Every structure is written in structure tokens, then in C-alpha cells.
């Protein structure tokens, strides 16, 4: 069973940058290669929404349209770590950010469908002030 821990959140002024990390422990490289990994966020009173996803086996990436160009998802397979580089942050980016793994193999996963992900870990708070 994969265990996920998101770190790197904090407070930043609008226009600033943050890098989030998600450590994915457990499982073999061969097992992880079957999945997508994603970043999600949830602000108070809002539904959880997709930020970005990446296919572990070949680094194919997917982004929420509104965030494309500001956020970059990447991974390091050698240590099972997922990253989210966030640039040009806006106050509306304020939320708790989570990482998760797709429930099934990549070929049965809709990359930007929240319900296709599970194994949610503890999120990290990102606060952007104007």
C-alpha cells in the first residue's frame, strides 16, 4: 500500500513561487510505472479540484486549463518523489494541496478526473497574500 506525504507549503506573496514535494513510499518501480500521480487542492467551502497529473512511466503531463503555464508537475523516479513547481502565485491559489495516486493503471484512468485517484495523504497548506 502506497503512503504519500506532501510537504513544502507555506505563505508567499502574490507573484511568488513555491515548490511542493510528495514522497511516495512503498511499491516497486515496476508497480509505480503503471499509474498516474496527481496534485490536487481544496480551499475552504470548495470541492477538491485537480491541479496536474503525470504518467509515471514516461512523464506525460496533464494540467488544469486555468493553471497551465504557471504550475509544472514533475517526478524523480529514483526516490519516488513527485514535485509541483508553482510560479506566479495568486491569492486564489490559496488551498490545501494534496498528492494522490490513480486507483487503477494509467490506461484505465482519466488523467484529470478527481474520482480516479486515491491513497490520499496529508495535505500541505499554501497561502498566497496580495
Amino acid at each position: 500500500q502506497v503512503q504519500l506525504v506532501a510537504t513544502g507549503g507555506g505563505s508567499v506573496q502574490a507573484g511568488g513561487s513555491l515548490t511542493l514535494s510528495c514522497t511516495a513510499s512503498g511499491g516497486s518501480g515496476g508497480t509505480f510505472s503503471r499509474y498516474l500521480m496527481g496534485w490536487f487542492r481544496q480551499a475552504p467551502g470548495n470541492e477538491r479540484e485537480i491541479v496536474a497529473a503525470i504518467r509515471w512511466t514516461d512523464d506525460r503531463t496533464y494540467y488544469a486549463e486555468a493553471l497551465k503555464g504557471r504550475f509544472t508537475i514533475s517526478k524523480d523516479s529514483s526516490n519516488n518523489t513527485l514535485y509541483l513547481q508553482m510560479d506566479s502565485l495568486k491569492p486564489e491559489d490559496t488551498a490545501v494541496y494534496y498528492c494522490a495516486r490513480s486507483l487503477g493503471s494509467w490506461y484505465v484512468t482519466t488523467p484529470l478526473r478527481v474520482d480516479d485517484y486515491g491513497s490520499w495523504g496529508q495535505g500541505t497548506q499554501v497561502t498566497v497574500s496580495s
Side-chain angles (χ1 to χ4, degrees):
Q1 188 72 30
V2 66
Q3 300 291 326
L4 302 174
V5 180
T7 59
S11 297
V12 64
Q13 291 183 321
S17 299
L18 284 173
T19 301
L20 306 183
S21 299
C22 174
T23 300
S25 61
S28 66
T31 298
F32 277 72
S33 71
R34 296 165 52 196
Y35 299 95
L36 289 154
M37 291 290 295
W39 283 102
F40 307 82
R41 67 185 186 183
Q42 187 169 22
N46 293 342
E47 296 291 323
R48 184 172 295 177
E49 62 180 356
I50 186 75
V51 172
I54 186 168
R55 193 157 64 190
W56 205 260
T57 185
D58 63 0
D59 289 352
R60 176 75 164 88
T61 57
Y62 309 84
Y63 294 93
E65 187 65 29
L67 303 177
K68 190 176 181 65
R70 294 196 298 120
F71 289 13
T72 304
I73 189 171
S74 63
K75 67 168 179 63
D76 185 345
S77 296
S78 69
N79 59 7
N80 286 334
T81 302
L82 181 72
Y83 301 98
L84 182 67
Q85 177 66 43
M86 304 185 293
D87 298 315
S88 301
L89 284 163
K90 305 174 181 179
E92 53 263 45
D93 295 320
T94 296
V96 177
Y97 284 71
Y98 301 87
C99 59
R101 193 187 73 181
S102 60
L103 292 169
S105 299
W106 67 267
Y107 50 86
V108 298
T109 302
T110 300
L112 298 179
R113 182 170 178 257
V114 174
D115 288 347
D116 277 6
Y117 293 81
S119 299
W120 303 97
Q122 184 176 358
T124 186
Q125 176 72 47
V126 172
T127 302
V128 184
S129 59
S130 60

